[in-house]
Amino acid sequence: MVENSELRKAGLKVTLPRVKILQMLDSAEQRHMSAEDVYKSLMDAGEDVGLATVYRVLTQFEAAGLVVRHNFDGGHAVFELADGGHHDHMVCVDTGDVIEFFDAEIEKRQKEIVREHGFELVDHNLVLYVRRNAAKP
């Protein structure tokens, strides 16, 4: 099983709750899920994993580099599987939907701005807060 090897590679013991949560994150239609979303999905699937366990496992996954935690405006954290590829986010202020995007020109310009100010870019996180344009569907 891929989940077992991912857990071992991350230095985590293979347990049923960890495997179930990793499977849920991997197969979910929604890429950015809160701990409550993961818990509800597990309950809907008939899995017996408590909310406290979900929180604990997600924190362990974050520490092991398996997931990335995002704290978008609105107060609650969402998690996504760490796939190694960089992307930025748009968050709809009306619906809370999270849209991933990558733009080479934005990435290039950010590096230029950093260099112009005498720095080296180590990491960044760009989040655009958006609303659907009423004139466009």
Side-chain angles (χ1 to χ4, degrees):
M1 287 179 95
V2 175
E3 291 83 11
N4 291 1
S5 65
E6 288 297 313
L7 289 170
R8 284 191 194 101
K9 193 165 53 172
L12 294 171
K13 186 176 168 186
V14 176
T15 64
L16 192 57
R18 287 180 181 151
V19 170
K20 295 292 182 190
I21 292 169
L22 194 55
Q23 286 173 339
M24 181 62 59
L25 290 169
D26 192 38
S27 65
E29 224 174 90
Q30 185 180 349
R31 185 161 157 80
H32 301 85
M33 299 179 76
S34 68
E36 292 83 4
D37 294 333
V38 172
Y39 174 71
K40 287 176 191 166
S41 294
L42 289 167
M43 294 302 291
D44 291 346
E47 301 296 342
D48 186 26
V49 179
L51 183 58
T53 299
V54 172
Y55 274 105
R56 185 175 60 255
V57 169
L58 288 173
T59 301
Q60 293 166 347
F61 283 1
E62 180 187 15
L66 290 173
V67 299
V68 177
R69 176 192 307 252
H70 299 285
N71 290 300
F72 300 128
D73 280 358
H76 72 286
V78 293
F79 299 84
E80 69 176 309
L81 285 176
D83 60 10
H86 172 76
H87 58 267
D88 296 306
H89 298 93
M90 291 188 290
V91 178
C92 179
V93 296
D94 295 325
T95 65
D97 290 345
V98 179
I99 302 102
E100 294 179 354
F101 71 95
F102 176 82
D103 185 287
E105 191 61 33
I106 290 174
E107 298 301 317
K108 177 182 170 197
R109 187 64 188 120
Q110 289 175 121
K111 290 175 185 170
E112 290 170 354
I113 291 168
V114 167
R115 267 196 311 274
E116 288 168 8
H117 285 84
F119 292 93
E120 174 185 350
L121 184 62
V122 176
D123 193 13
H124 80 278
N125 184 13
L126 175 64
V127 180
L128 304 174
Y129 295 93
V130 300
R131 174 175 285 131
R132 283 257 179 237
N133 186 337
K136 294 190 177 196

